[in-house]
Each structure stands twice: as structure tokens, then as C-alpha cells.
Amino acid sequence: MKFRSLGLLRYGHFTDRVLEFPQDARVVVIHGDNEAGKTTALAAITDVLFGIELRSRYNFEHDYKSMWLAATLTGAQGRSLSFARLKRANATLVDPESNAALNDDILAPFLGAHDRQTFLDVFGLDQMRLREGGKRLLAGGGDLAASLLAAAPGLSEVSTLRDRMKESAAKIFNPQRKSASHDFYLAMERRDQARRAIRAEELLVDAVRTIREDADAAEKDRAEAEAAEREARIAVMQAQTLRSAAKELRVLDALLAKRSEIGPLPAVPGDFAVRAAEVLRNHEQAMLDAARAESEEASARAEFDAIAIDGAVLGLADEIEACDDARAAIQHELISLPKREGEASEARGELIAFARELGLPDIEALRAMAPGAPALARVADIVNRLHACEAQFQTLERARVALARRRKEIEADGDEGAHAADPAPFRQRLAALDGAEERERQFRVLDQKIASAQQPLRERVRRLGLGLHSVEEFLALPLPALSAADASLRTVRDALVQLARRKDEFDEIAGKLAQAEARLSTLIAGRQPPTEQAVAAARTQRDGAWQALRGVVLGERAAAPADQAAALQFERLIVDADRLADERLTEAARLADLAQTELAIAEAKARAASAYDRLTEANARLKAANAAWASLWPAGVIVPPDDDRGLELLREAAKIIEMRESIRDDEVARDSGREAVQWDRGEAARLRHDVGLPPLGDGPLRIAELRDAVHALEARFQAARDRDRDLVRLAKDEDDNAAAMRDLLAQREQVVGQAAALFPQLSIRAEASAEEAQAALGIWQAAGAALGKLGTAERRIEGIARDRALFEARLGDLLGRVAAPVEGDDFATAKHLRARLEAARRMQAQADVAREKLQRRVDALHEARSELRLCEAALAKVLELAGVSDAIALPALLERLREAAECEQAIAQAQSRLADVRGSRPVEELRAEIGERDDKALALAHAEAEAAQERARDAVAPAIERDTRAKAALADLDKRSGAAGAAQSEQDAIAEIADAMERFIRDHVASRLLSHAIERYRARHQNPIVERASQAFATLTCGRWSGLGIDYDLETPRLAAVRDQQMHGVDALSEGTADQLFLALRVAAIEDHAQRSTPLPFIADDLFVTFDERRTSAGFAVLGELGAVTQVIVFTHHDHVVACAQRTLQDQAAIIRL
Amino acid sequence: MSFRFLHAADLHLDSPLRGLSRRGQVAGAFVDASRRALENMVATAIGERVAFVVIAGDIYDGDWRDYSTGQFFVRQMGRLAREGIRVFIIRGNHDAESVITKSLPLPNNVHSFSVRTVESVAIEELRVMLHGRGFANRHVPENVAASYPAAKPRYFNIGILHTSLTGREDHDVYAPCGIDDLRRPGYDYWALGHIHKREIVANDPPIVFPGNLQARHARETGAKGATLVTVTDGRVSQVDEVTLDAARFAHSELDLSGLRDPQEFLSAARRVIHEASGEAGDRPLALRLTLTGETALHSYFGAHAGKLIEDVQALAWEINDSVLIEKVRHSTSLVRQLTGSAVIADFAEVLAEVAADASFQAEIEAVLAELRSKAPEAAFSMLDLSGAGENLAPSAISRAQDLVLANLGGVIVEEREP
């Protein structure tokens, strides 16, 4: 609904004032100064539509009864209504022409369901109502608020996931901030540690070289020190040698002098003195030994001669001993005789019992018939064979019964089964169907996939918005390449940017021009300064008046009556001309400013003209770019907008082509698989028929059924083969059993015949059974043992009697031979004879000992005498060597010889020591080197050498220590494991870094992807009012804010302003920006409402109070957009607002001045 | 006459194993692996009573300057010296720049071939002639095989060369040559080095890459070692692979198609880990698991990636405390759901739009560039962003998209009913 006119006929201070609203204006601005009636007019709009209020404030000039408003409205479908509104209780609506009352409902088609309050709340806004409504909306009240905030439900899980990913990524890495606790940096630190460890642990070549050089130097130093110490040691040894040699030389010289004092001696061997003394001692000892041996020999001989020997007894010693042994044995046997007799009696009793059991009369008969071991063995063998035959018979019989039972079972099984054919051909045919189900499944999946992909493909083609109706049509289209489109779009964007820049430039110049013009208006406002022409005109008039009076004043003519008036005129003209000149002088500065401003305006106009040309040029370029963009697209399609949507469309087109290619690939695969599937199905159907399965129909292949059926045929075929095989085996077993039975019976008959021949010989019945024969055999075996026992006992009794007789005969013979008397019985006599023998043996032993002793004494005597002779001969030789005739002179000679020998030995020892001391050096050289030096001098030299050696030795130890250390260091190189472990740690840390990077990339990218997707999803599903409000808000804030959004991160989602992708609550906005947000929401809501029903005019009362200049312009731009939907009427008392409306909307803005 | 010799190459002593972030004590078992492998080689040479040992280059890592490594090598060569076993070595591309190589005095039993020309060394008692040449440069682009002399008649001739032949994946081109170049001199055996995967390139004559002695990262899977060659009457009668590695890398793929329950997954994982552990024997094992297949567990894995690794590692230690799970890669896909409540029906579409948004990609690229600028390049190269090249953002965004979809599997319906 729109107002065409509003008649303020009698309302407030208005009388017969009619406001005409141009219908083609997007925004009508009603401008009035204070008290011009702006508020009155605003109230009149409400009153004319909904009736003048009962207690209207606007009755101050026209009373209630005369209050009169009128309006002409245009409704939907161009319907028009003119009416007048009166202030009365009823029939307030009247026809303006006829004053006839109109029905109160006549406005309903224009007002819809709106009443005064909703009109004021929704359409009639001043700043206060705008704010109140906006705040109420933000507080969550009302259906509108609920619907605004209800966008994109179900995202909570997605948001939770996004937060989880974000949190996880934040623990790993943060591009903006380094933190030691991040997994990435922890791993980096571990890597750094490992690298430090490598540097610390690695063994560098230079280090090795240094250690080696140290070792070489130390070894060299050590060798030198050791050599020096060795030389010092040699010097010490030499000094020591001289010192010792001097001492030994002195001793040697003394000994040589002593030897010469002993004088000459006979030439005797070196050991003569010793040997001669020994010979003397031996001779004396030999004489003593010979005397003692003679005495001992005589004593031994007397002792031997005193012993007597019993030769008669000793001569029969063996026989006497044998006789006594026989005596002892017989005595022992006689003790066991009663026991042997008892054994014989017991055996006889047993044998009588056995004879009775065998049916024999007595023991002799039994003994006569007793079989030997071979006979018993034969009988035992026959008995065993009889037993074996019986056992084998039982076994064969049981086997025969079992085989018969098995035959019955198999034959019974055979009756149940029918003949089964070999299913191998079926199996082969089934094998050929391997994978058939999978092939068919793939075929169907492909078919289904292709079918299901067609519709989305068509849908995507349709959504491209190119006005295409089929995929083929799309595919045939020569769409531009993405790169070409991108390039074209860049040209369009550049042109847009250029245009915007030119427009800004033009606007800026135009603004300056307006400012200059405004300044000019100010400068020329009020009284006009006298112009040059006015001053000149006044002066001309003055000069003209002077010329008229000049003749009178100069006396050129006489005064005339009119000259008085002319003089008065001249006087006034002089005053005026002077006044004008003065005024012009006074206004010079202002005039200069004015001139300057005029000049500036002229320049600005020139610049504006130039800018306008550039703007026009930019417009042309944009049009050309737009045309180029349009030319990219094939004829007949709806050219997409020349922005990112166009690129998106091409990307989508590429995806569609890709999708189509994929479908075509699938179609090729499906077509190639169709033949195989058809063959499979045909073969499966034939095989099902052959194996007796029901027809396949159109259902799935059910290869498992075929497989089961073939398996069943195989099982049946296998069972039949097994049964035939079992029967063959059974027949063979039966034949084997029968043959074995026959063999057994023949064998048993043979054994029975042998038994009949042998059994009677052992008093057994010929037809006796195996058990009976076994029992008889047992009796015979026991009888054999008893017969043996009886024979043994009888033989022992006879032996005892025989042994006694033999003993008595032997004893008698012995007694006769030794002539010994009988002492008691035979046994006592034998014992006595034995005692005599033992006594004779003891005497014989004593005589043997004495003889041996005597022999030893005789031998000792011979030996002593022989030794004495040897000593005497040796002594004679010694005397001969010594050159003395008597042994008495020999000891003195020997003493001198001993002293000379000792002296010579000491000389030799001294020479030996000297040789030890001097080594290989000649004695004379030593003597020469010693020279005149005494021991003290030599000792001093020795001490000096030792001191030098000590110094050398002191130098050796550090050298050795250093060498040892160096060698140890060298050896330690071999023990070092190096930095391999640390290198592995570094590599492990790198793996950890890679792991952290991978996790970060995964989680970060996922969280960012989710954030963007959530945002985009919400934007897509956002309430259209919010979306429109967002756009309007961005416009109203001149792009300072990118729009509106819903902050879903809060516990209760709230509307928020968006800047730099950050949400800001309304509370955080400035007052003006908040007002702009509220206005944006209100505009969006009305536009939304307009889609459902006819809206009422939007009445705004000084809404732009908190808007700056630019945002006021933006506000008019938004209201201009709203004006396309509904009538927009703006009341203001600000001139700049009016100017702004005109500037922004130009001819789309209508200005009504009150 | 018969004798045996051992052919090894690419020891890379003390080269750390890559990709093992510390996860418990078992990681420590990998530290000395290259040394233990060399010890195994020496023990095998002694145990098999080989006549000599050939090492065809890359004993050390080029940028490794720890002299202890060289000393360890010398000690091991000393063990061979005490057994009277000679060693013939050439310098490979890594040895060429090694400061250790240049400074280390070698024991008398070790002969290092000249780096200036091809040198021929005879072992008269065996009638063996070895021809070899080391290299003094990290890069050798020319075909040096052509400069090897003709075989010496009535000798068993062995050529030793560090080469990439005509090129092998994952290896720099080095002293390139063809098989015909190697056949031309008429040698009886070519002992090659440089390629870490064992390969018998030809049989007549045998041209053999023994592979490296010890695997160094997850792409070098399976048994590693040397080649034991038996020569009888002047001809190669047997070529045997000898396993000498002290730690093992393995990569198992686990198809989870149709699985729905995490317990089912753990059972399947147990089986795979058990198999891999069994193949590794008593060595420490670093196992990479790649999960594949269309499974309802896809979302579960996506949402519990960290727990998944912990669970699989715990499972591995339950089976064998020497098994380290090096990585679990997710290559599963979601079972497509055609029905369900479309709580957020087109969120996946929105995700795809954002993922394709150039400004978003630029934002991510900026963050990743910042991360990359702070991280060592070695770590960056380990990232599992296949095909990412210089621009990580598309790959990272694609994976993040999958992750989000996996996590929201219960919320988002993949495909809407048409």
C-alpha cells in the first residue's frame, strides 16, 4: 500500500495542506524546520489510516469536530482509494467528494491485518522505537528472534569436533607463538639434544690424529729417556767395576805373595792331599772291620750247631696232613648223615604218590617208565599245539561271525543308495562359474551406480543455472576455459575497481564542489555588496547631475528654478556614490573570498567534468569487460554473473564433466561385463537343471546352491565307490578266514595223531585232552624231580661210608712208617700225628734261620779281609807319590799341601771375582784405568755416576707415564662406541617431529576446514532476514562491518556484528552502529514481510540522528532498496539529510517541504 | 679346487634407522643394528671358512664423520685378519665423501682398490683375479665398466663395481652401465653394490647386487644380508643368500573389508603381526601396517587414530616385545550408506566446497609453509602426504576432509537419496 496523497485539511496547524507523494520515488523525504508541522504530518499518517485518536493533540487550531484528514491510497493490483478521515465517534471515513460515509472496512484491503500498534511498531519508526524493537529482538523475544537464531541446527556435534581438533592442533604447534610445551617443539628440542650429543660423543678425525701424534711423541720421549737412563746405568756399572776391580786386585796380589811363602811341593795331582788323607782313614777302618768280622763268624757257627731236626716226620709231612684233612672231612660228613637219610625217605614218599596218580604200582615201575627230557618236551609241544589250535579256532570263528555281520551292514547300506554318476563334469562347469556372483554383483552395482548417478548429474547441470535441460546439451556447450574465465573476471574486477576509484574520485570532487557552492551561498547570503557596475552607475549619475549644475557653479549660466532640485539630487547622488564606494571598499575582503570561491568552483567544475569523463570511460571499460565476459559464454545460455560465481560455475562444470566421464567409464565397464554375466546366468541355469535344482528365474545366481548340489552329488558318488570297495575287501577277508580255518583243522588233526602215539608211553590216555595231558605232564615233571632227589640222597650216604674206610686204612699205614703209637681212637691218633709234624716243622725253621746267619757272617769276614788288602795297596801308592817311605811322615806333607791348595783356591776365587767385575776388559786395561786412584777416589766417581743415573731414572718415569697415558688414550679410542646412538636418537626425534607435523596438519587443517564449513553452512542455511540484514548492515556501515552473523559459540546463540571474521556482540557496538544494525534488521524484516503480504508504508522519523554523513547516504541507499518493495517516507528537519537523500538517490528521491 | 667367498655391499655403518619415533624401550634395540649386522657378516665369513670377502662400496654414510665408526670397522676386519681372511673393498658414492674413509688406516688384510683407475689384484694360491675401482666423487655419471680390463686367462676373474646399472628406483644414478658392458671383459662373477635390494641381475656370468646388510627404513623391508658364492674348479657352482640383518622392517597390508567390530580388527591385526614377527625371527621388528578395504570401522579409525596406534602397539608387545609398530596407515574407505537420517544433509557438499576454495587453500598453505620453515627437511620428507610436491595444501585438505567425514560418519549421510 502506498500513499498517493495525504490531505492535512484541518489538522494541527495545517489547513488545506495536501502532500502529494510521487509514485516513482523510492524515498519521499518530508522536510520541515522545527515547528513546521513535521510531527503533525507524521501523526496524520497514522490517524488517517487508523482514525484520529480520541484525545488527539492536534486539535489546537481546528477543534475535534472540524479535524479533517484525507488520503489517496494505492493498493495491490493498482487499486486506488481516496477517503477523508473525520474526528468523530462513528463513520469517521467519508468520501471526499460527496462526504458520504464510507464503510469502516473499506481500508481493510489496504491495511491487511495491521492495526495502529503494529503499524507503529513495525512500519512507523523513530529512533526510540527502532532501538526498543531491536533490543527486544536481540534479547530473544518473539517468533522472529527464534527464527532468526535457528539457522543451521545440528551443528553442535560438528562444532564439538572442530573444537576438539583445534585443541589437539594447539597442543602440537602454533604458527603465531612458539611454546616449549608444544609437541612439535618438544620433538625439536629432543632433536637438538641429540645433535648436541652427537657433537659431544662423535670422535673426530682431527682428535684421533692429535691423540696419535701425542702417542708418537710420548713414545719417542720415552725411548730417549730410557736410552739416557741406560747409559747412566752403564756409567754406574763401569764406576762400580773399577771400584770392585781395585779391591779384587789388591786381594789377588796378597794371595800370590802368601803362596810363594809356602815354598815348593811335590808334584802331586790336585786332589792328592784329600785323597791321601782318605786313604789313610780307609786303611785304619779296614783293619778294624776285619777283626770284628772274624769274631761274629765264630759266634754264628756255634748257634747253628746247637739245633736238632725230626727228619722221619718231616719226610711224611704231606701224607700226615692229607690224613688229618680226611679225618676232619669224615667227621663233618658223619654229622650230616641223618639229614641225608631223611631226604631219601621223603623222596620215596612223594614218588609212591606220583606212581599212584599215574596208575603205576610202585617206585620202580615209575622209575622204569620215567621219560627223558626230550620225551617230556615233545609231549609239552603237543599240548601247546593243541592249545594253540583251539585258540586260533576261536579267533577264526569270531572273525567269521564279524565278517558276516559286516556283510549284512554293507548290503543293508547298499539297498538304501542308488547308482551315482561321476559328478566331475558338473564340478568343471561349476568351476567355470567361479566369480560369477561377484561379476554379476559388480555389473549390478555398476548399473545401479550409473542409474543413480544420472539424476544427480542432471540436477547438478540444472543447478548450474545456465538454462540447460539435459546433460547432453551441457556437454555440447563450448564453455570457456577456467583460465580464460579467470582472466576475463580479473578484467571485470579491475574495471570495477577502476570504476569505484573513478566514482570515489568524482564523488570527492563533487563533494568539494558542493562545499564550495555552499560556501558561495553563504558568502552571497544576506545583503548584496555593491558591484563595480553599481558604483560606476552611481558615479555616472553623480557626474551627470554635476554636468547639469556645473554651468551654474562655474557661472557659465544663471541659476534656474530647477537647479535647486538638481542640486539636491546632485547632493544625494554624491552621497550614494560615496556610500557605494565605501561599502565596496568595506566588502573587499569578502569579495575577494567570494572571487576565490567562485574560482574554486570553476576549477572544481572543470575537475568534475574531467572526473566525469574518466568515470564515463571506466563505465565503458566495465561494460566492455562485461561484454567480454558475456562473449565467453556460448549463445543461448544464461550468462552467469561476472564474479566468483562464474568461476564456481566453471569449476562445477568441470566436476560435472569429470563425473560424466566417470559414468561413461562405468558404462563401458558395465557393457563389457554384461556379456560375461549373461553367459554366467545361462550356464548357471543349465547346470541347475542338470543337477536337479529349480529354475533360476530373475533372482540372484545363488551359486552356493549349485555348489551344495554338486557337493551332494560328489558325496553320493564317493559313498557308492566306498561301498563297492568295502564289499570287495570283505569278500577277500571272508575267503582268507575260511582258508585259515581249513588249515587250522588239518593242523589240529595232525597234532591229535601225534598225541595218540606218544601219550600212552607216559601212561596218558591216547585221546586225552590238552588239559588232561597238561596235568599228566606236570606229574611226570614233579616225579622226575623227586627221583633226582632220592638218587642224590642215596649217593651221599654211600659216599660217607666209603670215605671212612679209606681213612682208617691210610692212618694205619702212616703209623707203621713213623713207628708212632696209637693214641685213643683213629681220629685222636691222626690228630696227634699232625701235632708232631708241626713241632718238627718249627725246629726245621729255627735251623734254617741259624744257617743263613752263619752264611752272612762268613761272607762278611771274606769281604773285610779283601777290603783291608785294597787299603794297604792304596796306601802304598800314596806313599810312593808323596815320595816318603813311611806313612808317619805323610800328615805333615799333607798339611802343607792343604795350605798351598787353599791359597791357590783363594787366588782362583779372586781372579774369578775379578773376571766377574771386569767382564771382557783386560786386567791391564783396568789397572791402567784405575791408575793411581785409591778407593776413595773411585767411590767418589761411582757416587757421581749413581747421581747421574738417578737423574736419568727420574726422567724416565714421567716419560713412561706420558707414553702410557697416550697409549691408553689411543686404546680408549677403540673402546668408544661413538655417536651412533645419539644419531639414532636424532633420527628418532625427526620421526617424532614428522609425527607431530602430521598430526598438526591433520588436526589443524581439519579444524579450519570445519570452521569454514560451519560458517558457510550457517550462511547457507541462515534465515533470509539475517542474510538480508547482514547485507544491509554492511551497506549501512559503508563496509566497516562485513555483516551480521549468529554467534553459536555462546550458550544461547546471539545475533552479532561481524568484522574481520570476528563476532562482536551488539553491546560492544557504538550507538550509531547499533542503530544501523537495528535499521538493517528492520528493513530486512519488512522486505521479508513484503514477500507474503502487502506492506504498509515505512515511515521513518529522523532515523539518521546518530548517522554520520556517509552512513546517512548509505541509509538512503538501503531505504532506496526498501522503496522498491514498499513506500518509504522519511521525516527530517535536517537540510543535510535532504541533500544526502538527493545526492544518494538523485531522481529517485522526492522532497516535500512543509 | 673349491673355495667360497662372501660378497657384501652397502653397509652404511652407524647410519641411523629412520622413522622410529621413540615408543618404549624396544626402539633402543634398533640403535646398533648396522654394527650387529657387520658382526654377523664377519661371524658368517669365519664360520663358513670363506677364502676372502668382497665389499662393493658404501661402508659408511657420506656425511657421517664419527671416527668410532671406522674404528669399529677396523676391529671387525681385525677379526677376519686373525682368521687369515682377506678383504677387498671399493669406495662407493657415500664413502667417496666420507672423512672417515680418507683418514682411517686399514689392517693389512684389507685391500682398498684404487680410486684413480681399475686395479687388478691376484690371489695366486686360489688362481683368483679381482678387478675393482673405487670412486673419489659423490657423483660419477660416466660408464666406468668400459674401462675394466679383459679377464686373465686361467684365473677366476671377479669384477667389483659400485653402480646403479641402468637405473633403479629410489637410488641415485651412479656409474651407469649396461649388462653387456659387464659381460664384455669375460669375468666369472660381478660383485656389485649401490642398490639396496638384493637382485641377481644375470646368471651367466652371475651379476649380483647382494642388497644392503641392514635395512634402514620402512621402504627396505624383508631379510637383508650378503651373498655367499661357491667356486668349484674355476666356475661359480652355487650362489646363496645369507641373512645377516640385526633388525627388520616389514610392511603388512590388512584388508578389513566387511569388518564391523574393533575386536574383529584386533584379531586380524594379531594374525598379521604374528606372521610378521615369525618371519623376523628373534630380531627386533619395525612393522608398518596399512589398513585397506571398505569397512564400517573406517569412521572408528578416523576418530580414534591415536588410540588405534596404541592398541596395535600393545597388541604387538603382547605377541612379541621386540615388535615396534612403525606406523599405521589408514587406507580404508567408508561403507556407503544409502539410507539414514540426514541430520546435516549437505554438510559433506559444503566441506567439498570449502576444500576447493582457493582462499582456504591459500590459508592452509601459509600455515603449512610456516610449519615447514621451522621443521627440518628430513622430517618434512617423511610426511605421509603422497603426491604433495611443494604444495602440501591440497593433499592435507583432502586428508582432513576424509578425517572429518570419518569422524562425522554417524552424523553425515554420504549420499542423499535422489
Side-chain angles (χ1 to χ4, degrees), chain A residues 376 380 774 776-786:
Chain A
L376 282 175
Q774 178 78 41
L777 192 61
I779 294 170
W780 274 116
Q781 286 168 341

Side-chain angles (χ1 to χ4, degrees), chain A residues 480-779:
Chain A
L482 188 61
S483 57
D486 193 25
S488 179
L489 270 184
R490 277 200 300 276
T491 308
V492 172
R493 284 195 204 100
D494 292 345
L496 276 170
V497 170
Q498 192 71 10
L499 179 63
R501 198 174 295 142
R502 296 300 176 217
K503 195 167 183 309
D504 289 345
E505 182 187 16
F506 178 77
D507 288 347
E508 185 183 351
I509 294 169
K512 288 180 179 172
L513 179 60
Q515 286 174 357
E517 286 175 341
R519 179 165 180 74
L520 182 65
S521 301
T522 307
L523 287 172
I524 61 177
R527 189 168 51 82
Q528 290 290 329
T531 64
E532 190 69 36
Q533 292 77 10
V535 172
R539 285 178 176 163
T540 303
Q541 285 182 337
R542 181 199 63 191
D543 291 344
W546 169 252
Q547 287 301 328
L549 292 175
R550 188 171 184 271
V552 177
V553 173
L554 293 178
E556 291 176 351
R557 69 174 179 87
D563 287 341
Q564 187 176 1
L568 290 173
Q569 176 67 16
F570 175 66
E571 186 181 17
R572 194 175 65 250
L573 285 174
I574 287 175
V575 170
D576 286 347
D578 289 345
R579 182 179 55 78
L580 281 176
D582 290 346
E583 283 182 359
R584 182 162 177 76
L585 190 62
T586 305
E587 292 288 323
R590 194 168 66 91
L591 288 173
D593 197 2
L594 189 62
Q596 188 67 31
T597 304
E598 285 171 346
L599 184 62
I601 287 171
E603 287 179 359
K605 280 181 178 173
R607 286 175 56 207
S610 173
Y612 184 76
D613 290 344
R614 287 195 294 274
L615 181 61
T616 307
E617 189 183 341
N619 255 324
R621 196 176 299 128
L622 177 60
K623 281 180 184 170
N626 287 338
W629 167 259
S631 69
L632 285 175
W633 300 84
V637 302
I638 300 169
V639 176
D642 48 1
D643 53 22
D644 285 343
R645 284 174 290 179
L647 288 184
E648 287 298 326
L649 185 145
L650 284 177
R651 288 195 189 97
E652 174 64 10
K655 287 179 186 170
I656 291 171
I657 291 170
E658 191 179 338
M659 186 177 173
R660 176 59 193 155
E661 289 303 315
S662 172
I663 291 171
R664 285 212 171 139
D665 291 344
D666 290 343
E667 284 173 347
V668 171
R670 179 194 61 185
D671 294 343
S672 66
R674 190 194 306 279
E675 189 178 345
V677 168
Q678 284 172 348
W679 185 89
D680 288 341
R681 290 195 70 82
E683 179 59 17
R686 285 189 292 277
L687 187 55
R688 287 179 71 88
H689 173 267
D690 293 348
V691 298
L693 288 174
L696 192 59
D698 294 331
L701 277 173
R702 297 202 293 277
I703 295 296
E705 284 184 8
L706 272 174
R707 200 173 289 119
D708 292 345
V710 173
H711 284 169
L713 287 175
E714 281 182 337
R716 208 159 60 193
F717 176 68
Q718 187 63 34
R721 285 206 310 182
D722 291 348
R723 188 172 63 250
D724 292 346
R725 184 199 61 215
D726 290 347
L727 280 173
V728 170
R729 285 181 185 170
L730 186 63
K732 184 174 181 307
D733 291 346
E734 286 173 340
D735 291 346
D736 291 348
N737 194 55
M741 183 63 89
R742 284 193 300 275
D743 293 345
L744 177 64
L745 292 175
Q747 186 182 350
R748 189 164 72 172
E749 190 176 352
Q750 184 186 4
V751 173
V752 167
Q754 290 174 350
L758 191 58
F759 282 5
Q761 296 176 18
L762 271 68
S763 190
I764 304 172
R765 292 187 306 111
E767 65 279 9
S769 67
E771 288 73 19
E772 185 182 344
Q774 178 78 41
L777 192 61
I779 294 170

Side-chain angles (χ1 to χ4, degrees), chain A residues 203 973-974 979 1008 1020, chain B residues 66-67 71 75 353 357 363:
Chain A
L203 180 58
L973 294 181
D974 284 344
R1008 293 302 301 151
R1020 182 171 297 177
Chain B
D66 188 352
Y67 202 75
Q71 289 186 312
R75 283 200 295 276
E353 287 174 11
D357 191 309
E363 174 199 325

